[in-house]
Amino acid sequence: MTEGRISVPGGKVWYRRTGSGGAPLLLVHGGPGYPSDLLFDAFAPLAQEREVVWYDQLGVGRSDPVDDISLLTVDRFLDELGAVSEGLGLERPHVYGHSWGAMLGLQYAAERAPEWTSLVCANGLASVPRFEQEVRDLMAKLPGNVLDRTYGRELRGETGDPDYWVAQEEYMRACVLRTSSVSLDPELMSLTTFRTMIGHADYHVTGTLKDWDIFEALERIQVPTLVLGGEFDECVPAHLTDIAERIPDSEHVTQPGAAHMGYLEEEPLRDAYVSLIQDYMARVEARACRDETAERAAPAAVAGALQRDGRPGARRSAPVPSAERS
């Protein structure tokens, strides 16, 4: 295992890399404002078959803090993703992005045409305005008037009511993480980043991401893409279906029983989540290997056809007989 820091626009970020062999897997954590720690345990076993790389985005975890909020832009985070991949010498990586990390992965793939082996868009959205409304619709269907006890109280300035946090927990248990709980060191998080970019919550976005929408750009993605979500995910299956339908080479999988953070659910959900990703990466690599073999074989087949014609030099510009075209 190797840990270090690497320069990106705005400062230096921390990374961890472990394992070897196969196309590397670069993990882009969610947030914004949360570190990569939540991805440690679930993805560490994959280092038995390939290199796995985690990094903390600028402002969180072990990376440099952000004192200037002008650094908290989508474009800078995209530049950061590119700087990490290039700076660590990752050749044709698989890129896994969760939630906010998936948003970065989608936009990077759509706008910058990276040479990635695959993209895993895990529990990620393509439109904040649409997502925000979808989450509110989910909350409105929960028992106990959860939407009014959270969103309603935010609008009324009543978030000091202790029941506000009780309702938040009910929402999280229903749509984010159903079978386990999670805690993070507050020192590794950045409330400034979250407040600047999100605002209040996923269902009440008042930050700089409030108008973010890249649905129209998804058709430009040329990277094989797995669009993965959970049955009870706050990023609802219909949203993910629409993402997958716009990406030319994509698959959409909804994991039964899981919500927004399948990699943190109790077993067997956690193992099933990671296995879906592991299987997809293996299938993409196998397909790429078959395509590469076919490409290498094609010139040899053409040359053989010309030689059988008896004129290997004089007929190179002539069309190959239709029955023997590769």
Side-chain angles (χ1 to χ4, degrees):
M1 178 187 297
T2 301
E3 296 184 358
R5 290 161 57 84
I6 188 169
S7 294
V8 301
K12 290 187 176 183
V13 300
W14 171 92
Y15 68 86
R16 170 184 291 174
R17 58 196 309 178
T18 185
S20 61
L25 171 61
L26 176 62
L27 303 169
V28 188
H29 64 75
Y34 296 88
S36 62
D37 297 48
L38 298 178
L39 300 174
F40 287 171
D41 291 345
F43 288 92
L46 296 187
Q48 298 176 20
E49 64 186 44
R50 67 181 69 249
E51 182 176 34
V52 181
V53 181
W54 298 259
Y55 75 97
D56 286 337
Q57 294 162 18
L58 196 69
V60 301
R62 304 147 195 83
S63 295
D64 286 349
V66 170
D67 299 317
D68 179 2
I69 63 171
S70 69
L71 294 172
L72 299 176
T73 67
V74 173
D75 283 341
R76 197 216 60 82
F77 280 106
L78 294 174
D79 292 341
E80 175 184 280
L81 171 55
V84 169
S85 181
E86 182 178 350
L88 295 180
L90 304 181
E91 295 185 7
R92 297 188 60 81
H94 296 279
V95 175
Y96 165 95
H98 177 259
S99 194
W100 154 245
M103 294 164 62
L104 292 174
L106 288 172
Q107 185 165 344
Y108 197 102
E111 294 181 352
R112 308 197 181 189
E115 293 186 353
W116 294 346
T117 295
S118 78
L119 168 65
V120 179
C121 169
N123 317 91
L125 50 140
S127 170
V128 168
R130 172 175 166 176
F131 170 70
E132 183 182 26
Q133 186 58 55
E134 288 167 341
V135 177
R136 288 183 202 164
D137 291 344
L138 280 176
M139 296 173 72
K141 298 174 184 177
L142 295 177
N145 205 18
V146 169
L147 181 62
D148 184 66
R149 291 161 59 209
T150 53
Y151 179 57
R153 283 189 171 123
E154 289 168 10
L155 296 179
R156 296 189 297 270
E158 300 173 355
T159 57
D161 190 318
D163 184 64
Y164 171 77
W165 297 106
V166 174
Q168 286 283 356
E169 178 61 27
E170 292 173 16
Y171 148 63
M172 294 287 288
R173 180 64 65 189
C175 304
V176 179
L177 185 59
R178 294 175 66 85
T179 64
S180 66
S181 59
V182 63
S183 61
L184 274 173
D185 182 350
E187 294 297 318
L188 298 178
M189 301 160 58
S190 172
L191 187 60
T192 297
T193 299
F194 184 85
R195 292 297 191 200
T196 299
M197 303 190 76
I198 297 295
H200 287 278
D202 291 348
Y203 55 82
H204 188 188
V205 181
T206 56
T208 57
L209 287 174
K210 64 181 184 298
D211 297 319
W212 185 87
D213 187 315
I214 60 162
F215 261 113
E216 297 305 316
L218 296 179
E219 64 184 15
R220 300 203 299 266
I221 295 178
Q222 298 301 311
V223 177
T225 301
L226 172 63
V227 181
L228 174 62
E231 178 183 3
F232 303 104
D233 202 334
E234 64 173 356
C235 196
V236 298
H239 193 125
L240 300 184
T241 295
D242 287 349
I243 291 175
E245 287 180 348
R246 286 167 169 78
I247 300 175
D249 184 0
S250 67
E251 296 181 19
H252 174 210
V253 176
T254 299
Q255 183 187 4
H260 191 63
M261 306 177 83
Y263 58 90
L264 291 176
E265 299 281 9
E266 295 288 351
E267 300 294 5
L269 290 174
R270 180 187 304 188
D271 184 65
Y273 180 94
V274 176
S275 293
L276 287 168
I277 297 164
Q278 190 176 22
D279 174 70
Y280 182 75
M281 291 190 297
R283 287 189 289 110
V284 168
E285 290 177 1
R287 185 180 70 180
C289 185
R290 290 194 302 269
D291 291 345
E292 183 179 344
T293 300
E295 288 177 5
R296 287 200 304 264
V302 172
L306 291 173
Q307 289 175 354
R308 287 193 297 274
D309 193 46
R311 286 162 286 182
R315 292 289 299 277
R316 285 183 183 174
S317 62
V320 179
S322 60
E324 296 182 17
R325 289 178 186 162
S326 60

